[in-house]
Amino acid sequence: MNGNGQGNGNDGSCPVMTTADGRPIGRQQAMTAGPRGPLLMQDVELLEQMQHFNRERIPERVVHAKGSGAFGTFTVTRDISEHTKADLLGKVGKKTDIVMRFSTVAGERGAADAERDVRGFSIKFYTDEGNWDMVGNNTPVFFVRDPYKFANFIHTQKRDPKTNLRDMDMQWDFWSQSPESLHQVTILFSDRGRPVGYRHINGYGSHTYSFINDRGERVWCKFHFKTDQGIKNLMDDEGDTLIGANRESSQQDLFDAIEKGDFPSWTMKVQLMTQAQADGFEKSTGWNPFDLTKVWPHAEFPLIEVGKVELNRNPDNYHAEIEQASFSPSAFVPGIGPSPDKMLQARLMSYADAHRHRVGNNYQQLPVNKPKCPVMHYQRDGQMATADSYKAMTANYYPNTRDAMPKPAEKFHDPAWDLGSAIVDRFDSENDHDDFTQAGNLYRMFDDAERDRLATRIAGVLGQARDQVQMLQLCHFFRADEDYGKRVATKLGFDLNELMERMGAVTT
Ligand code: NDP
């Protein structure tokens, strides 16, 4: 019993209900003037409950709103310290706690899990040198390479402002005007566009990042997480049936597997590229190694296994630990850093900014986001700041002459970045790029049946767009692979001879 006469329930009795201020509650019935009402303003217990209820929701993520997550560990299986001084990757057998969040992208928080969509794949590593957030997708590439296009692209995936409906003409209009999207569009409409659940997807950091070793040498790297459960996808009829039966199929699958001790895992691998290789790659292929719409071919840049990610604990409270989990690509640790990838550079700002809006300026002080190592800075105050975070720090300014106050340490300074004689401009991110070879390579990997399913799905939605949009988009498919173009065109009901004549007019 505490001072208020409240039991804690440990003795089998129920604890006494209290207000949020901790005052025990006698009855939970509205206080009224007479049995029929009206209510009284002095019923502060009821007022508190109603006011809190009105504030239960935080802003939904603009993208990746519907998600699931869990806690686990990352274990190093191969020493790659010659490439990075990242403490979490330093020694075989080293374990680091993690939280992971998976999501769909376009749907709102109530959307069904089994929709055709890209899946978000994020991991927060609570390392001894700060949190490292790997904020990726289940696809190795993305739809656009210039961040100016991002908000516009997302608008096309959401609802039309007038009809409040998803709009296929809007989606394909944008994609047909953005041929760099073809690679990701091909993945989206392939079998992998509708996974059985989160346990059965690969994760990719997608962007190029940098590794820095303790000699101050930088190499470029890409992160891959291969599912140990195997890739499993839903055919369209299976997906539709599943949504009819269970809108939370991925949440259910992940939660139930962990609850019964069937812990899902992923093997982490990296691809590495030196600056000299990057220069050579661009010369020989024409592909910018920092272009988010491109992969690095495995044959030239083989995957190197580095560790294992395992999920083994469900959250106790979904809202506190998963909805408020805030992942940002800007959360780097010593030994891991950015690359010039323009999309990554934009995300370095926008994710942390979104969390400040969505969760609050001090989102990193919430238990799920809080680093497990000491946090020592001179940022102060703002909504929901906890004194716990600043503890014995007597100064809120730097430099200072006070004892035992945090100071920067030169050994954590990253080597300088030589940008040569860079010219500042708004460079063309649309023309003079080969946006078709890699999309074609992917298409040519599919067997005949998957090519056919891909073309059927695309025609089903592209057929809802205007004729002009269909023509432009068909040109992109033909450029990637003639068979790709012909299949989609046939499914759309075009006469191929007539189409060739019309396409000549579109492309000239
Ligand atoms: P590879 O043949 O070495 O790699 C092909 C990779 O594609 C596989 O390793 C597998 O990667 C993935 N894959 C296999 N089947 C499918 C499928 N049905 N749908 C989607 N992806 C599949 O050739 P390249 O490295 O030259 O890549 C060729 C094409 O493969 C690329 O244009 C790209 O579209 C796709 N790809 C390439 C990746 C890369 O990092 N190089 C990664 C994923 C896809 P995984 O084991 O990661 O699933």
Side-chain angles (χ1 to χ4, degrees), residues 91-201:
K91 218 164 67 197
V92 172
K94 183 170 171 73
K95 286 187 187 299
T96 300
D97 288 344
I98 59 163
V99 61
M100 273 182 91
R101 183 175 183 270
F102 309 91
S103 52
T104 51
V105 180
E108 294 92 355
R109 264 200 73 183
D113 286 344
E115 301 271 3
R116 177 167 300 284
D117 199 350
V118 172
R119 299 296 188 273
F121 187 101
S122 298
I123 313 177
K124 187 185 290 296
F125 297 79
Y126 301 98
T127 92
D128 296 337
E129 292 185 332
N131 289 348
W132 174 43
D133 290 356
M134 205 298 307
V135 195
N137 280 329
N138 70 330
T139 60
V141 294
F142 192 63
F143 295 93
V144 293
R145 64 167 74 88
D146 188 324
Y148 246 116
K149 281 194 165 180
F150 182 79
N152 291 288
F153 163 62
I154 295 302
H155 287 169
T156 72
Q157 301 299 299
K158 296 279 186 178
R159 294 169 186 276
D160 176 90
K162 183 174 167 71
T163 64
N164 195 34
L165 295 169
R166 302 278 294 272
D167 185 321
M168 291 307 144
D169 186 76
M170 177 161 95
Q171 297 192 12
W172 287 100
D173 194 14
F174 180 88
W175 283 333
S176 70
Q177 297 292 310
S178 308
E180 69 271 28
S181 62
L182 185 64
H183 196 177
Q184 176 79 313
V185 165
T186 305
I187 298 175
L188 177 62
F189 288 96
S190 78
D191 289 355
R192 288 198 187 186
R194 214 164 176 185
V196 160
Y198 297 132
R199 293 186 303 133
H200 297 284
I201 58 175

Side-chain angles (χ1 to χ4, degrees), residues 74 80 84 86 88-89 121 123 125 132-137 139-140 202-211 219-226 267-272 296 303-304 306 332 335-337 344:
F74 167 68
I80 55 163
T84 173
L88 84 153
L89 299 173
F121 187 101
I123 313 177
F125 297 79
W132 174 43
D133 290 356
M134 205 298 307
V135 195
N137 280 329
T139 60
N202 286 343
Y204 303 88
S206 309
H207 299 286
T208 298
Y209 289 90
S210 54
F211 270 164
V219 286
W220 307 115
C221 70
K222 279 187 185 281
F223 300 107
H224 301 249
F225 297 82
K226 306 272 189 175
T267 303
M268 177 174 163
K269 302 186 179 194
V270 294
Q271 286 177 293
L272 301 175
W296 295 354
L303 294 172
I304 303 165
V306 295
F332 289 123
I336 304 177
L344 172 61

Side-chain angles (χ1 to χ4, degrees), residues 146-148 150 207 329 341-351:
D146 188 324
Y148 246 116
F150 182 79
H207 299 286
D341 178 339
K342 297 178 196 182
M343 287 294 293
L344 172 61
Q345 295 272 328
R347 291 177 79 212
L348 297 179
M349 182 286 296
S350 67
Y351 278 60

Side-chain angles (χ1 to χ4, degrees), residues 16 25 84 91-92 103 197 228 267 320 371 384 438 454 457 485:
V16 174
I25 292 175
T84 173
K91 218 164 67 197
V92 172
S103 52
D228 295 330
T267 303
M384 311 302 277
Q438 289 204 358
L454 170 79
R457 291 174 194 131

Side-chain angles (χ1 to χ4, degrees), residues 227-419:
T227 171
D228 295 330
Q229 291 66 243
I231 299 259
K232 279 196 196 157
N233 305 309
L234 294 162
M235 293 295 110
D236 291 293
D237 55 342
E238 294 171 328
D240 294 346
T241 307
L242 182 57
I243 288 175
N246 184 356
R247 295 177 64 78
E248 329 301 334
S249 50
S250 300
Q251 166 75 23
Q252 181 115 43
D253 175 71
L254 180 71
F255 186 89
D256 289 353
I258 295 172
E259 211 60 7
K260 65 175 192 247
D262 179 10
F263 299 143
S265 63
W266 287 261
T267 303
M268 177 174 163
K269 302 186 179 194
V270 294
Q271 286 177 293
L272 301 175
M273 188 188 273
T274 63
Q275 183 58 52
Q277 285 175 311
D279 296 339
F281 180 70
E282 192 149 18
K283 262 192 209 118
S284 62
T285 61
W287 299 326
N288 167 7
F290 310 111
D291 176 351
L292 183 56
T293 68
K294 302 288 180 296
V295 295
W296 295 354
H298 288 137
E300 215 178 325
F301 301 97
L303 294 172
I304 303 165
E305 180 176 330
V306 295
K308 184 84 75 188
V309 162
E310 182 193 80
L311 291 180
N312 48 34
R313 181 167 68 83
N314 277 316
D316 291 326
N317 184 290
Y318 178 84
H319 178 84
E321 298 179 290
I322 303 301
E323 185 61 14
Q324 293 193 127
S326 306
F327 303 85
S328 171
S330 57
F332 289 123
V333 288
I336 304 177
S339 80
D341 178 339
K342 297 178 196 182
M343 287 294 293
L344 172 61
Q345 295 272 328
R347 291 177 79 212
L348 297 179
M349 182 286 296
S350 67
Y351 278 60
D353 183 57
H355 300 315
R356 291 199 161 88
H357 161 68
R358 193 176 68 84
V359 181
N361 197 29
N362 290 304
Y363 70 92
Q364 288 124 319
Q365 295 183 18
L366 289 177
V368 69
N369 300 321
K370 199 177 165 89
K372 293 188 193 244
C373 63
V375 173
M376 296 281 164
H377 57 65
Y378 294 91
Q379 297 166 24
R380 286 296 178 277
D381 306 344
Q383 279 185 336
M384 311 302 277
T386 63
D388 192 41
S389 296
Y390 313 119
K391 279 220 169 103
M393 293 189 42
T394 54
N396 60 357
Y397 59 90
Y398 181 84
N400 61 64
T401 54
R402 299 194 186 186
D403 291 340
M405 293 302 291
K407 294 183 170 37
E410 185 61 26
K411 69 172 180 170
F412 294 110
H413 177 68
D414 283 340
W417 226 1
D418 182 1
L419 292 180

